[in-house]
Amino acid sequence: MSDPVLQVRDLVKHFPVFKGIFRRRAGSVKAVDGISFDLNAAETVAMVGESGCGKTTAGRAILRLLEPNSGSVLFRGKDVTQVDQTELRELRRYMQIIFQDPYSSLNPRQTIGQIIGTPLLLHGIVETRRDAEDRSKELLEKVGLQPSYTSRYPHEFSGGQRQRIGIARSVALNPDFIVCDEAVSALDVSVQAQVINLLLDLKDEFNLSYLFITHDLSVVRHIADHVVVMYLGKMAEKASRAAMFEGAWHPYTQALLSAVPRTQPGSKRTRVILEGDVPSPINPPTGCRFHTRCPLAYDRCSREEPKGHVVGVDHEVTCHLYEDRTERLDLIEAMAAKS
Ligand code: SF4
């Protein structure tokens, strides 16, 4: 297998918190706290977790839209966290993002032709406005929209159409890698399916790699090759899609998966409802950050931070249970046995 397109190692992004009239530093929000994963060419890694788990911050830190505190992000052999602004601008051509909100991610004062065509001129991919306009028309057709829309403005389109325009803009520069940050969450379910299919078609056509950030595991099942599960800034588990859906180890992953409808008709799944809210990332729980909500927590969990353990091919879990038991524990069976 060729080298991964992207190698993220021990990535950390904390935000300082200030208090009082002198704005003294009172702590930090530990939004992303040491995550590592690889993304191979033409593959999709889905990053999942509840809101506030740090997945959007991770996506932005990888692109250096937010400056990481530490860690490395190797892309095309370069550490994105170390390059200067000129090199970063050049690399950004190959690393794009599709934002969640199709309503605010397009400049309302620019025509669709300008939104898609201006980056082409800025990066020297085309030389004249006329060429930029022609390429914008081709790209609109590729994402299923009328070429004549280049002269219109964003407010003239529906949410699904705007997201298609955002996708046309992100593939215009012929990137290798796109962060899709909750790219279909704001859309109706029927439109979501169309946009996911469009993303899959473009992935094949342009050999794209996606980091697909989402809270929706039903979407993950359709789009991901690998899955990274985040909880409070930490990586709980990472695995291939099949390993994750068939044999997740981490109690948090198993709880998330219990909420996903089964695909086989007639089969039922017992749903695990996690109690309480996600704790504050300013003062996360000691030991395992999940211990305050974990139905399987035991005394070690609040004292000691768990390490990552390799439990299979490309499958890693951050939980003490791996060390303290000899086989995988099924959360639902374990909870039934407890009650
Ligand atoms: Fe639950 Fe303990 Fe594993 Fe954390 S380390 S997931 S609290 S069993």
mmCIF file of all heavy atoms in Angstrom, residues 250-252 288-292 294-298 301 304 306 318-321, ligand 1:
data_model
loop_
_atom_site.group_PDB
_atom_site.id
_atom_site.type_symbol
_atom_site.label_atom_id
_atom_site.label_comp_id
_atom_site.label_asym_id
_atom_site.label_seq_id
_atom_site.Cartn_x
_atom_site.Cartn_y
_atom_site.Cartn_z
ATOM 1 N N HIS A 250 -14.929 -0.326 22.481
ATOM 2 C CA HIS A 250 -15.090 0.731 23.494
ATOM 3 C C HIS A 250 -16.566 0.862 23.894
ATOM 4 O O HIS A 250 -17.446 0.903 23.020
ATOM 5 C CB HIS A 250 -14.590 2.055 22.907
ATOM 6 C CG HIS A 250 -14.264 3.065 23.947
ATOM 7 N ND1 HIS A 250 -15.237 3.776 24.612
ATOM 8 C CD2 HIS A 250 -13.086 3.474 24.465
ATOM 9 C CE1 HIS A 250 -14.657 4.592 25.479
ATOM 10 N NE2 HIS A 250 -13.351 4.421 25.412
ATOM 11 N N PRO A 251 -16.865 0.962 25.196
ATOM 12 C CA PRO A 251 -18.261 1.102 25.617
ATOM 13 C C PRO A 251 -18.940 2.319 24.989
ATOM 14 O O PRO A 251 -20.135 2.268 24.662
ATOM 15 C CB PRO A 251 -18.162 1.265 27.144
ATOM 16 C CG PRO A 251 -16.881 0.599 27.507
ATOM 17 C CD PRO A 251 -15.951 0.828 26.348
ATOM 18 N N TYR A 252 -18.195 3.410 24.790
ATOM 19 C CA TYR A 252 -18.804 4.600 24.175
ATOM 20 C C TYR A 252 -19.202 4.306 22.728
ATOM 21 O O TYR A 252 -20.301 4.638 22.287
ATOM 22 C CB TYR A 252 -17.817 5.772 24.240
ATOM 23 C CG TYR A 252 -18.359 7.039 23.615
ATOM 24 C CD1 TYR A 252 -19.537 7.614 24.060
ATOM 25 C CD2 TYR A 252 -17.680 7.664 22.567
ATOM 26 C CE1 TYR A 252 -20.041 8.779 23.485
ATOM 27 C CE2 TYR A 252 -18.166 8.824 21.991
ATOM 28 C CZ TYR A 252 -19.346 9.378 22.450
ATOM 29 O OH TYR A 252 -19.843 10.520 21.878
ATOM 30 N N CYS A 288 -10.035 8.028 32.896
ATOM 31 C CA CYS A 288 -10.718 7.955 31.598
ATOM 32 C C CYS A 288 -11.778 9.042 31.556
ATOM 33 O O CYS A 288 -12.626 9.121 32.440
ATOM 34 C CB CYS A 288 -11.360 6.574 31.433
ATOM 35 S SG CYS A 288 -12.383 6.490 29.950
ATOM 36 N N ARG A 289 -11.760 9.853 30.517
ATOM 37 C CA ARG A 289 -12.708 10.980 30.447
ATOM 38 C C ARG A 289 -14.154 10.511 30.323
ATOM 39 O O ARG A 289 -15.073 11.269 30.573
ATOM 40 C CB ARG A 289 -12.350 11.886 29.263
ATOM 41 C CG ARG A 289 -11.062 12.615 29.528
ATOM 42 C CD ARG A 289 -10.766 13.674 28.497
ATOM 43 N NE ARG A 289 -9.503 14.304 28.850
ATOM 44 C CZ ARG A 289 -8.925 15.269 28.163
ATOM 45 N NH1 ARG A 289 -9.511 15.732 27.074
ATOM 46 N NH2 ARG A 289 -7.786 15.787 28.560
ATOM 47 N N PHE A 290 -14.331 9.271 29.956
ATOM 48 C CA PHE A 290 -15.689 8.753 29.777
ATOM 49 C C PHE A 290 -16.236 8.136 31.072
ATOM 50 O O PHE A 290 -17.388 7.723 31.116
ATOM 51 C CB PHE A 290 -15.660 7.727 28.632
ATOM 52 C CG PHE A 290 -16.999 7.181 28.232
ATOM 53 C CD1 PHE A 290 -18.068 8.026 27.930
ATOM 54 C CD2 PHE A 290 -17.211 5.808 28.143
ATOM 55 C CE1 PHE A 290 -19.305 7.512 27.554
ATOM 56 C CE2 PHE A 290 -18.439 5.290 27.768
ATOM 57 C CZ PHE A 290 -19.488 6.145 27.477
ATOM 58 N N HIS A 291 -15.419 8.103 32.135
ATOM 59 C CA HIS A 291 -15.837 7.272 33.278
ATOM 60 C C HIS A 291 -17.110 7.764 33.960
ATOM 61 O O HIS A 291 -17.848 6.991 34.549
ATOM 62 C CB HIS A 291 -14.692 7.104 34.296
ATOM 63 C CG HIS A 291 -14.565 8.198 35.312
ATOM 64 N ND1 HIS A 291 -13.643 9.207 35.218
ATOM 65 C CD2 HIS A 291 -15.252 8.441 36.454
ATOM 66 C CE1 HIS A 291 -13.766 10.019 36.245
ATOM 67 N NE2 HIS A 291 -14.732 9.573 37.015
ATOM 68 N N THR A 292 -17.399 9.090 33.863
ATOM 69 C CA THR A 292 -18.601 9.609 34.531
ATOM 70 C C THR A 292 -19.892 9.130 33.847
ATOM 71 O O THR A 292 -20.970 9.223 34.416
ATOM 72 C CB THR A 292 -18.600 11.158 34.546
ATOM 73 O OG1 THR A 292 -18.391 11.616 33.200
ATOM 74 C CG2 THR A 292 -17.500 11.701 35.445
ATOM 75 N N CYS A 294 -19.753 6.093 31.737
ATOM 76 C CA CYS A 294 -19.551 4.727 31.219
ATOM 77 C C CYS A 294 -20.315 3.709 32.075
ATOM 78 O O CYS A 294 -20.068 3.612 33.276
ATOM 79 C CB CYS A 294 -18.063 4.402 31.215
ATOM 80 S SG CYS A 294 -17.741 2.724 30.614
ATOM 81 N N PRO A 295 -21.210 2.926 31.471
ATOM 82 C CA PRO A 295 -21.951 1.932 32.253
ATOM 83 C C PRO A 295 -21.048 0.819 32.786
ATOM 84 O O PRO A 295 -21.452 0.089 33.678
ATOM 85 C CB PRO A 295 -22.954 1.358 31.241
ATOM 86 C CG PRO A 295 -22.971 2.306 30.085
ATOM 87 C CD PRO A 295 -21.632 2.958 30.065
ATOM 88 N N LEU A 296 -19.835 0.684 32.257
ATOM 89 C CA LEU A 296 -18.940 -0.403 32.684
ATOM 90 C C LEU A 296 -17.763 0.107 33.518
ATOM 91 O O LEU A 296 -16.811 -0.629 33.767
ATOM 92 C CB LEU A 296 -18.406 -1.151 31.463
ATOM 93 C CG LEU A 296 -19.450 -1.720 30.498
ATOM 94 C CD1 LEU A 296 -18.772 -2.461 29.357
ATOM 95 C CD2 LEU A 296 -20.398 -2.660 31.235
ATOM 96 N N ALA A 297 -17.803 1.376 33.955
ATOM 97 C CA ALA A 297 -16.659 1.949 34.678
ATOM 98 C C ALA A 297 -16.405 1.202 35.981
ATOM 99 O O ALA A 297 -17.335 0.728 36.627
ATOM 100 C CB ALA A 297 -16.927 3.427 34.964
ATOM 101 N N TYR A 298 -15.145 1.069 36.360
ATOM 102 C CA TYR A 298 -14.782 0.464 37.641
ATOM 103 C C TYR A 298 -13.699 1.336 38.268
ATOM 104 O O TYR A 298 -13.307 2.352 37.684
ATOM 105 C CB TYR A 298 -14.392 -1.010 37.490
ATOM 106 C CG TYR A 298 -13.355 -1.311 36.428
ATOM 107 C CD1 TYR A 298 -12.058 -1.704 36.784
ATOM 108 C CD2 TYR A 298 -13.661 -1.204 35.059
ATOM 109 C CE1 TYR A 298 -11.108 -1.999 35.824
ATOM 110 C CE2 TYR A 298 -12.711 -1.493 34.094
ATOM 111 C CZ TYR A 298 -11.432 -1.886 34.485
ATOM 112 O OH TYR A 298 -10.496 -2.157 33.530
ATOM 113 N N CYS A 301 -10.838 3.237 36.493
ATOM 114 C CA CYS A 301 -11.175 4.177 35.415
ATOM 115 C C CYS A 301 -11.083 5.643 35.846
ATOM 116 O O CYS A 301 -10.718 6.504 35.045
ATOM 117 C CB CYS A 301 -12.569 3.883 34.885
ATOM 118 S SG CYS A 301 -12.732 2.202 34.295
ATOM 119 N N GLU A 304 -6.853 6.362 36.596
ATOM 120 C CA GLU A 304 -5.763 6.187 35.627
ATOM 121 C C GLU A 304 -6.254 6.419 34.194
ATOM 122 O O GLU A 304 -7.310 5.895 33.818
ATOM 123 C CB GLU A 304 -5.314 4.723 35.752
ATOM 124 C CG GLU A 304 -3.879 4.478 35.435
ATOM 125 C CD GLU A 304 -3.618 2.970 35.583
ATOM 126 O OE1 GLU A 304 -3.914 2.400 36.652
ATOM 127 O OE2 GLU A 304 -3.148 2.388 34.598
ATOM 128 N N PRO A 306 -6.531 5.676 30.465
ATOM 129 C CA PRO A 306 -6.243 4.469 29.671
ATOM 130 C C PRO A 306 -5.312 4.751 28.501
ATOM 131 O O PRO A 306 -5.295 5.859 27.964
ATOM 132 C CB PRO A 306 -7.628 4.018 29.181
ATOM 133 C CG PRO A 306 -8.490 5.221 29.277
ATOM 134 C CD PRO A 306 -7.914 6.138 30.299
ATOM 135 N N THR A 318 -9.014 2.733 23.329
ATOM 136 C CA THR A 318 -8.433 3.371 24.506
ATOM 137 C C THR A 318 -9.341 3.073 25.698
ATOM 138 O O THR A 318 -10.277 3.820 25.982
ATOM 139 C CB THR A 318 -8.324 4.896 24.272
ATOM 140 O OG1 THR A 318 -7.745 5.116 22.986
ATOM 141 C CG2 THR A 318 -7.457 5.563 25.322
ATOM 142 N N CYS A 319 -9.090 1.948 26.354
ATOM 143 C CA CYS A 319 -9.959 1.517 27.461
ATOM 144 C C CYS A 319 -9.202 0.505 28.312
ATOM 145 O O CYS A 319 -8.503 -0.367 27.775
ATOM 146 C CB CYS A 319 -11.229 0.891 26.873
ATOM 147 S SG CYS A 319 -12.310 0.152 28.093
ATOM 148 N N HIS A 320 -9.359 0.602 29.648
ATOM 149 C CA HIS A 320 -8.682 -0.341 30.550
ATOM 150 C C HIS A 320 -9.188 -1.765 30.389
ATOM 151 O O HIS A 320 -8.487 -2.716 30.725
ATOM 152 C CB HIS A 320 -8.922 0.075 32.015
ATOM 153 C CG HIS A 320 -8.215 1.340 32.385
ATOM 154 N ND1 HIS A 320 -6.892 1.563 32.089
ATOM 155 C CD2 HIS A 320 -8.655 2.442 33.048
ATOM 156 C CE1 HIS A 320 -6.550 2.756 32.549
ATOM 157 N NE2 HIS A 320 -7.600 3.315 33.131
ATOM 158 N N LEU A 321 -10.427 -1.905 29.904
ATOM 159 C CA LEU A 321 -11.006 -3.255 29.828
ATOM 160 C C LEU A 321 -10.141 -4.194 28.996
ATOM 161 O O LEU A 321 -10.091 -5.383 29.259
ATOM 162 C CB LEU A 321 -12.415 -3.186 29.215
ATOM 163 C CG LEU A 321 -13.521 -2.701 30.137
ATOM 164 C CD1 LEU A 321 -14.800 -2.477 29.346
ATOM 165 C CD2 LEU A 321 -13.760 -3.698 31.257
HETATM 166 FE FE1 SF4 B 1 -15.357 2.733 30.604
HETATM 167 FE FE2 SF4 B 1 -13.216 2.425 32.150
HETATM 168 FE FE3 SF4 B 1 -13.083 1.747 29.591
HETATM 169 FE FE4 SF4 B 1 -13.196 4.294 30.277
HETATM 170 S S1 SF4 B 1 -11.539 2.876 30.723
HETATM 171 S S2 SF4 B 1 -14.355 3.306 28.672
HETATM 172 S S3 SF4 B 1 -14.554 4.222 32.034
HETATM 173 S S4 SF4 B 1 -14.382 0.803 31.182
#
